[in-house]
Amino acid sequence: MNKASFAAIGIQEDLVARLSEFGITDPSPVQEQTIPLLLEGRDVLAASQTGTGKTLAYLLPLLQGIHPEQRVVQKLVLAPTQELAMQILREAERYGAERGIKVMGLIGGAAIKRQIDKLREHPQLVVGTPGRIRELIGLRKLKMHEVTTIVIDEADQMFQLSGAGEVAKIVSSALRTRQLVMLSATIGPETKALASREMKNPAEIGIDPGVMTAQSLEHHYVVTEERGKIDMLRRVIRHYNPERAIVFVNATDDIAEVTAKLNHLGLTAAALYGDADKVTRSNVLSRFRDGRFRVLVASDVAARGLDIEKLTLVVSFDPAFDSEHYVHRAGRTGRMGRRGLSVTIVTEQQTFIMRKFAKELDIRLEEKEMVGGKVLAADEDRSEYRGGTGSGRREGSGPRTGGPAARSGKPQVRTAAAGGGAAASAPPPGTAAGGEVRREQQRRSPGPAAGTRGGAAPAGKARGSSAEREKNRKNKGAPKWLKDKTPRGDGQ
């Protein structure tokens, strides 16, 4: 069956030409289903995985329905976070500027007086966060009587952060004849309740409703001790060698520590805090998009809804709070059909969380091990990668004595497939990540010990001088107590 074109689903010629300038020639499934309904004026409740093109699915009909000659607010888009609001704003400006459409962002954290002044310039499309929009409506500075369409993006996240009551007040401030659109990766009870109360005969759209994550995503997890998490994070990033990566940290207090340790290890990183001011957050994201640093360390709140080009790897330094948070984390990569990888670092006691997510999301969430610079399945033979050192599943955890069943008795996570296995293979030796493989192999391979005359080191003895061992400890992001520990002399 031939795919529909943008023109075939009702998008006008100038917008089609503008889309092609950015390499977008065919609509995604959610765009193909949503755009005709919005152009008809229908209320829409759309559920789709993150990264499937929901933003353009509603922006194109909004822009096409605006009358540039009318200097009033005609369309309103609500977003849960400042970052997502600014992202939507950039897209709206990209496609609306040539039509003479004035777009304005109204987000919390910015100077409200300046926003009031800019409203006098009569924007036709407003994108904002619920708190600031509600405040400006209350001050009678944002007029809603001419608004014909309200879009609530990432609806479930919106209700978690702002509360359903705040959003409901904004919706009720517009005319009853307005069009209401809600889009989200997950449709929770608050979303359903608002839809049943405020929507008129809504069209419900679900793209593979049983599949919560994109098919182009791979899902892995690696197991280590708590004190070895930073080193495991380093090894994951070095191995996959992404151009950009996001690292999710559960506790805000830990973000600075993880960022500092990554920078110490030579992996350029910066932190994104949910409670930072607008200018700081905007500057960090701008530098990340421009490639000024490689790793963005953030909490779930700070990174919600982000769409970063060339982001191929997402790492959960701590496992997500629940399967819904996991969906939103993983959804930062593998967008619009591109390949992506989500890796979670867990302790042995946390592996049950991975089995729980795999079952709830119906995905293949595989345990992987990093052995000799290679990434292997947990039940894969690794004898050829050990270099005769008897290395275990995790550095410092002792020799491996058997497969997964022999080790812990837990079943392997094997559920519905969610993508191919290309990302799990080791990079070729000529790549940067291949250099990490060679260094890992050299470290593990037997050779003359320091202080001996060309012979192999005695069994059970550490190779290299105490100064070298101390240097290696400090370069691996070891905990402070280990860094400060006085090195013992050789042979002790």
Side-chain angles (χ1 to χ4, degrees):
M1 185 175 68
N2 294 329
K3 285 194 69 175
S5 64
F6 279 106
I9 59 176
I11 298 301
Q12 294 172 353
E13 187 177 340
D14 62 314
L15 288 175
V16 172
R18 186 67 172 153
L19 287 165
S20 65
E21 290 179 23
F22 294 98
I24 304 172
T25 55
D26 298 312
S28 69
V30 70
Q31 292 165 356
E32 190 174 337
Q33 293 193 37
T34 304
I35 288 173
L37 292 168
L38 295 186
L39 291 175
E40 291 174 13
R42 292 282 302 277
D43 286 356
V44 171
L45 177 61
S48 175
Q49 303 93 358
T50 58
T52 53
K54 293 195 298 292
T55 302
L56 283 180
Y58 63 77
L59 262 186
L60 294 174
L62 288 190
L63 294 171
Q64 196 161 298
I66 287 174
H67 303 285
E69 69 280 1
Q70 296 179 12
R71 302 183 63 198
V72 292
V73 177
Q74 301 170 43
K75 312 287 182 181
L76 173 67
V77 179
L78 294 175
T81 64
Q82 299 176 12
E83 285 74 29
L84 181 56
M86 298 310 293
Q87 196 167 278
I88 296 166
L89 187 70
R90 282 193 298 272
E91 290 293 295
E93 290 173 339
R94 174 182 289 181
Y95 296 103
E98 293 187 3
R99 286 192 156 219
I101 295 171
K102 186 168 183 57
V103 184
M104 182 178 177
L106 296 174
I107 61 176
I112 191 169
K113 186 178 183 303
R114 186 178 178 191
Q115 290 178 345
I116 292 172
D117 290 340
K118 291 197 72 174
L119 279 170
R120 296 191 181 102
E121 298 175 13
H122 305 293
Q124 289 104 1
L125 171 61
V126 166
V127 183
T129 49
R132 182 51 54 91
I133 294 292
R134 178 80 180 92
E135 187 177 3
L136 289 167
I137 292 173
L139 293 171
R140 301 182 181 276
K141 300 300 180 181
L142 177 60
K143 306 293 175 38
M144 296 289 290
H145 63 281
E146 297 284 353
V147 172
T148 56
T149 305
I150 298 175
V151 175
I152 303 172
D153 199 356
E154 299 290 358
D156 272 11
Q157 293 185 46
M158 183 95 67
F159 297 138
Q160 287 177 13
L161 294 175
S162 303
E166 190 88 344
V167 178
K169 289 176 183 176
I170 295 171
V171 171
S172 63
S173 68
L175 298 174
R176 290 289 301 173
T177 54
R178 50 78 197 120
Q179 180 185 34
L180 182 59
V181 183
M182 290 195 284
L183 307 100
S184 182
T186 54
I187 302 295
E190 294 94 344
T191 306
K192 291 177 181 176
L194 184 63
S196 63
R197 188 171 65 250
E198 299 289 348
M199 287 184 165
K200 305 176 292 295
N201 188 27
E204 295 188 15
I205 296 173
I207 308 300
D208 293 334
V211 181
M212 301 296 294
T213 62
Q215 296 287 345
S216 58
L217 264 174
E218 282 190 81
H219 308 268
H220 298 169
Y221 70 94
V222 290
V223 187
T224 187
E225 296 178 3
E226 185 69 33
R227 68 182 183 180
K229 289 175 68 174
I230 284 288
D231 188 50
M232 182 59 77
L233 176 59
R234 171 192 67 82
R235 294 170 69 193
V236 167
I237 295 174
R238 291 287 193 200
H239 176 80
Y240 290 109
N241 195 31
E243 187 171 336
R244 293 182 183 86
I246 293 182
V247 174
F248 285 96
V249 178
N250 286 355
T252 302
D253 293 343
D254 294 338
I255 292 177
E257 181 181 0
V258 173
T259 305
K261 287 182 176 179
L262 287 176
N263 281 306
H264 175 72
L265 293 167
L267 296 167
T268 54
L272 185 66
Y273 294 92
D275 57 356
D277 62 82
K278 173 203 167 188
V279 174
T280 301
R281 290 165 70 171
S282 179
N283 286 342
V284 170
L285 284 174
S286 178
R287 288 168 52 219
F288 187 47
R289 287 190 171 93
D290 292 343
R292 307 279 186 86
F293 60 91
R294 190 177 179 188
V295 184
L296 181 69
V297 184
S299 65
D300 289 275
V301 173
R304 272 186 171 135
L306 290 183
D307 186 4
I308 307 293
E309 292 182 6
K310 299 180 181 178
L311 180 69
T312 56
L313 176 66
V314 168
V315 183
S316 291
F317 185 75
D318 306 300
F321 295 108
D322 52 38
S323 57
E324 183 177 331
H325 281 84
Y326 182 86
V327 167
H328 287 290
R329 287 184 181 187
R332 297 313 101 216
T333 184
R335 301 177 73 82
M336 294 299 291
R338 300 183 184 91
R339 307 298 300 176
L341 176 64
S342 172
V343 178
T344 302
I345 300 173
V346 296
T347 63
E348 188 72 56
Q349 294 75 23
Q350 293 171 327
T351 55
F352 79 93
I353 300 174
M354 300 295 96
R355 298 194 292 277
K356 177 174 177 282
F357 289 172
K359 182 178 180 180
E360 291 180 355
L361 300 173
D362 194 20
I363 58 175
R364 184 184 177 109
L365 215 169
E366 296 181 281
E367 180 181 354
K368 297 290 184 179
E369 294 183 23
M370 304 199 72
V371 181
K374 303 278 186 179
V375 173
L376 308 176
D379 55 357
E380 188 174 345
D381 179 25
R382 67 256 304 113
S383 57
E384 63 179 292
Y385 302 108
R386 293 181 196 162
T389 64
S391 62
R393 65 185 295 203
R394 291 172 291 284
E395 290 188 0
S397 64
R400 184 184 180 89
T401 58
R407 181 176 66 253
S408 64
K410 69 178 184 292
Q412 288 299 291
V413 179
R414 295 291 184 269
T415 57
S425 59
T431 64
E436 177 73 7
V437 172
R438 289 195 298 274
R439 288 192 293 275
E440 188 77 3
Q441 290 170 336
Q442 290 166 4
R443 184 179 65 78
R444 291 175 179 271
S445 62
T452 65
R453 296 185 180 276
K461 299 291 186 181
R463 295 181 177 86
S465 68
S466 60
E468 289 171 337
R469 291 199 303 274
E470 178 70 6
K471 180 179 178 182
N472 286 338
R473 271 207 307 258
K474 289 181 179 292
N475 286 341
K476 286 185 179 179
K480 189 174 186 301
W481 65 266
L482 185 56
K483 288 182 179 181
D484 295 339
K485 187 175 179 181
T486 303
R488 296 180 296 176
D490 289 342
Q492 294 183 3

